């Protein structure tokens, strides 16, 4: 089954919650990439947090500001799926009884 990314939620500590098409939510640590090639751009916290999005059905950073799928930094969704840990939804809070 080919999984795709539906939604992403970046945190300031370079970890990103990724919502996959199979219903799983996983946490991916971007920090090991920060010193590598094109990913050095992610060291700019504003860029990292505000340009984080879904393009090409995967986690991406919009380089140009116009959501051009050809002008982005993106990661393979299969790699993200395999290298992330499954977690609970951080946006869901338990309701008081």
């Amino acid at each position: 089954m080919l999984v795709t990314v539906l939604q992403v939620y970046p945190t300031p500590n370079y970890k990103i919650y990724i919502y996959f098409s199979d219903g799983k939510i996983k946490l991916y640590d971007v920090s090991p990439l920060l010193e590598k090639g094109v990913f050095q751009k992610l060291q700019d916290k504003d860029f990292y947090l505000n340009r984080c999005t879904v393009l090409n059905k995967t986690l991406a950073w919009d380089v140009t500001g116009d959501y051009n799928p050809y002008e982005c930094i993106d990661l393979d969704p299969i790699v993200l799926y395999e290298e992330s840990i499954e977690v609970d939804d951080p946006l869901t809070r338990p309701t008081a009884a």
Side-chain angles (χ1 to χ4, degrees):
M1 176 174 144
L2 180 64
V3 294
T4 59
V5 174
L6 302 176
Q7 181 179 348
V8 293
Y9 179 70
T11 66
N13 64 350
Y14 289 103
K15 291 184 173 56
I16 301 175
Y17 291 93
I18 304 172
Y19 296 74
F20 286 95
S21 58
D22 68 351
K24 291 186 179 178
I25 301 164
K26 295 197 171 200
L27 186 62
Y28 183 75
D29 184 0
V30 179
S31 59
L33 301 177
L34 296 178
E35 299 296 325
K36 298 179 182 179
V38 68
F39 297 105
Q40 290 177 356
K41 182 126 175 98
L42 302 179
Q43 292 175 13
D44 175 347
K45 271 278 176 87
D46 184 59
F47 179 86
Y48 160 78
L49 288 169
N50 295 314
R51 296 290 183 95
C52 186
T53 189
V54 176
L55 289 170
N56 303 316
K57 298 183 181 181
T58 191
L59 166 63
W61 287 268
D62 176 24
V63 174
T64 59
D66 62 359
Y67 295 93
N68 182 337
Y70 301 104
E71 297 290 331
C72 67
I73 301 168
D74 60 3
L75 293 164
D76 184 312
I78 295 170
V79 171
L80 292 171
Y81 194 86
E82 291 175 353
E83 293 184 2
S84 300
I85 58 169
E86 191 167 351
V87 295
D88 292 328
D89 189 343
L91 302 176
T92 303
R93 298 179 189 207
T95 57

